[in-house]
Amino acid sequence: MNVPLPDVPEVRVVGLPQLTSGFDLVERLDLSMHLKVHGPLEPQNGERLAELAEAISLRGRGGAGFPFGQKLRAVAKSAIRRGVRPVVVVNGSEGEPACRKDTVLLNRAPHLVLDGALLAAEALGARTLIIGLTRNSTESSIRTALAERGLSDRRGQRLRARIVRTPERMVSGEASSLIRAADGGPALPPGRRTRAAESGVGGAPTLLSNAETFAQLAVGARIGARRYGHTGLYNEPGTVLLTISGAVARPMVVEAPTGVPLRYVLQLAGAPMIPQGVLTGGYHGNWIDAAAAHDAAVSRESLAALGGSLGAGAILPISQDTCPLGESLRVANWLAAETAGQCGPCKLGLPAAAGGLSDVLNGGGPAALEALREVTQAVRGRGACKHPDGSARFFASTLSAFTDDLAAHVLGGGCGRETLGVLPLPMPGYTEESAPTGEKLAVDWTLCQGHGLCADLVPELIRLGADGYPALADASVPIHLRGRAQRAVRRCPALALRIEQPPAERPARPALPGSDRKALGSGRS
């Protein structure tokens, strides 16, 4: 049943809009309409801008939640100490299939994002602005917006602005991946952890934050800290953008003040009245049960207190009639295939964890469960980027949230429910680098002699079982692993490995952004 989210889903508003002001008037705010809706924006010096960010408690909205004012001060301090111009980077690389809030902003309110980025660039004295993007629709919108402002990458301009396109992969949205791509390298973590505020693009101090963060900064600068604080909670003022998908009638992006009951937001999207569980924070987030979802409010503090997380703002309920472990296994296989392949915990640990979860579902018993827990623990805190840690968090949360189902699979014959596939993942045939090709690896067991060479060549998809024979992931071969999968087939000494092609009847490719504008919407509740 897997249905990927459209680039720009329906947009709804709880209360008065801030980030989505004007969405009820036009599908996209060009510069003229943007100024009519939001008004002009006065520049501010660095200290004043940092004080504003601290006054409105602005934290990064990309998942990590780092205080923006602290980051701004760190970049300014480093730039002054080294005597170099800093760089400002907007991270619009939403490579997670369950997130669309930044994509909505970049498509429908690009100038609000640019306002915040240009405000920061002016305050820091930056002469370079970079916007990292993953999708055709966002690139088209931002190119148009830059042209409307007369910004480009031509020499001689006071501020040079350019777009960096990255593959639609989970690891592409990692800060170090985007910085590496901006320097002309692959959109992969460099294998070492560095602070962008000290050394980012071109070695210069770099202020990097996601699109919503810069849009929030622009809103705060226009209306001031006092008025900004009139919306939402006193300790987490303002609004947040949430992407609601999963078992819902209408996937949507919702702008809501902090403090609004989570159950109300779920009802807007047509979620089950009593969900079996709600995945909060996206595929690097945490599951919460129906009782916690009923009690939770839309805020970092409230969700964290109940075992959830706000993360990147993705909220995904599942209904009672699907197997939660089966749903999690689909995501686990995708997370394993998203590995950058540069460190053991990511390249070997995540496929082993996904395989371990598959073993648990397929009757592996207590031994399989214990092995899964050991692998998950071994992955945590040892990766070259945050992908292994986030994935390990997802695995651990799955095991703790669905204990009854886990017991049914470990001790009995399973929970008796099918996996409906309600959590969105890329469709086979999608052209981005990380997406499945539809092809699958298969073994001719009459020929296989257990040499294990295939597991060395493509450990993301094949691991060796306890008997020394290969165990294949129940996942399609991603495009970026196709070459190694073909090499494994060619080098199998027993000629036992093959690649099976997808069925002839393949799902229709999702419509290009812009052709589904009738689905765009705005509403207030």
Side-chain angles (χ1 to χ4, degrees):
M1 174 184 148
N2 176 47
V3 179
L5 295 178
D7 273 15
V8 185
E10 178 183 356
V11 178
R12 298 291 298 272
V13 183
V14 178
L16 296 176
Q18 289 187 355
L19 300 173
T20 60
S21 292
F23 281 23
D24 56 340
L25 303 175
V26 293
E27 293 177 353
R28 179 184 180 276
L29 280 72
D30 60 17
L31 183 57
S32 175
M33 181 59 74
H34 167 74
L35 293 174
K36 289 177 181 177
V37 170
H38 292 284
L41 182 61
E42 295 296 327
Q44 301 185 26
N45 62 42
E47 181 58 31
R48 186 176 175 187
L49 194 62
E51 290 175 352
L52 170 69
E54 291 166 351
I56 64 176
S57 300
L58 181 59
R59 290 178 172 268
R61 302 300 178 93
F66 194 81
F68 186 84
Q70 186 175 336
K71 186 184 296 186
L72 189 68
R73 292 182 190 276
V75 172
K77 182 178 180 180
S78 180
I80 293 171
R81 186 184 71 253
R82 295 175 52 191
V84 297
R85 295 276 188 182
V87 176
V88 174
V89 178
V90 178
N91 190 351
S93 302
E94 274 187 321
E96 184 172 343
C99 292
R100 287 295 184 273
K101 64 185 183 68
D102 285 349
T103 302
V104 163
L105 282 175
L106 293 166
N107 272 281
R108 301 197 62 184
H111 289 286
L112 194 62
V113 178
L114 290 178
D115 274 351
L118 294 172
L119 195 66
E122 180 71 19
L124 291 169
R127 294 293 179 264
T128 303
L129 171 64
I130 295 171
I131 304 100
L133 305 170
T134 57
R135 297 186 173 90
N136 292 333
S137 61
T138 51
E139 181 177 358
S140 175
S141 177
I142 290 298
R143 286 197 184 280
T144 301
L146 291 176
E148 289 174 332
R149 289 176 179 255
L151 294 172
S152 70
D153 196 26
R154 291 193 301 269
R155 293 182 180 274
Q157 294 197 121
R158 187 168 180 269
L159 176 74
R160 298 178 64 178
R162 61 185 172 98
I163 292 171
V164 172
R165 185 71 183 266
T166 61
E168 194 172 331
R169 298 189 61 195
M170 193 77 158
V171 294
S172 298
E174 221 266 346
S176 62
S177 298
L178 181 52
I179 289 172
R180 193 176 180 190
D183 282 335
L188 296 171
R192 63 186 185 280
R193 298 193 179 188
T194 58
R195 294 182 63 226
E198 294 289 337
S199 179
V201 177
T206 299
L207 177 70
L208 185 149
S209 207
N210 82 311
E212 186 192 346
T213 309
F214 283 112
Q216 293 283 1
L217 182 67
V219 169
R222 275 190 170 88
I223 65 178
R226 182 185 296 273
R227 184 176 163 194
Y228 189 97
H230 289 167
T231 301
L233 301 169
Y234 77 94
N235 59 336
E236 295 183 42
T239 64
V240 296
L241 288 181
L242 304 172
T243 309
I244 314 297
S245 64
V248 296
R250 301 177 306 281
M252 59 179 59
V253 169
V254 178
E255 181 180 14
T258 55
V260 168
L262 179 62
R263 63 180 181 276
Y264 179 69
V265 176
L266 292 174
Q267 288 171 9
L268 281 180
M273 290 297 295
I274 304 178
Q276 183 176 190
V278 179
L279 181 57
T280 60
Y283 295 156
H284 277 176
N286 296 294
W287 288 100
I288 60 176
D289 59 21
H294 182 274
D295 295 338
V298 176
S299 80
R300 293 181 185 277
E301 186 176 301
S302 174
L303 286 169
L306 293 167
S309 63
L310 184 59
I315 307 293
L316 302 102
I318 59 172
S319 60
Q320 299 283 350
D321 54 355
T322 189
C323 173
L325 299 181
E327 294 287 348
S328 297
L329 177 60
R330 294 177 61 250
V331 176
N333 283 327
W334 180 80
L335 288 171
E338 285 294 287
T339 170
Q342 299 185 136
C343 67
C346 198
K347 184 177 180 178
L348 303 176
L350 296 187
L357 183 57
S358 177
D359 289 345
V360 170
L361 264 70
N362 292 320
L369 177 59
E370 183 59 30
L372 172 58
R373 285 178 169 149
E374 288 180 1
V375 170
T376 302
Q377 183 63 35
V379 166
R380 187 179 292 115
R382 298 173 56 217
C385 70
K386 298 176 182 177
H387 182 53
D389 285 351
S391 301
R393 185 183 309 115
F394 173 80
F395 281 105
S397 176
T398 299
L399 297 182
S400 63
F402 303 110
T403 53
D404 290 345
D405 295 88
L406 194 61
H409 282 278
V410 171
L411 303 176
C415 66
R417 288 170 292 181
E418 295 183 0
T419 301
L420 301 180
V422 298
L423 301 181
L425 292 171
M427 288 287 284
Y430 196 71
T431 57
E432 290 292 353
E433 182 181 356
S434 66
T437 60
E439 301 169 342
K440 284 194 173 185
L441 286 170
V443 175
D444 184 338
W445 298 110
T446 65
L447 299 175
C448 181
Q449 299 174 10
H451 291 285
L453 182 61
C454 56
D456 290 334
L457 290 172
V458 60
E460 296 88 345
L461 298 174
I462 305 174
R463 64 191 179 91
L464 294 183
D467 57 359
Y469 281 82
L472 276 61
D474 184 21
S476 177
V477 178
I479 290 174
H480 72 285
L481 294 179
R482 178 189 277 162
R484 278 197 280 148
Q486 292 171 337
R487 194 178 310 125
V489 170
R490 291 194 302 267
R491 296 184 63 179
C492 176
L495 303 179
L497 191 65
R498 67 180 184 274
I499 294 179
E500 293 183 341
Q501 298 299 318
E505 297 79 20
R506 297 174 66 182
R509 180 171 176 170
L512 290 175
S515 64
D516 192 30
R517 289 297 187 185
K518 63 182 181 180
L520 302 181
S522 176
R524 299 184 184 179
S525 301

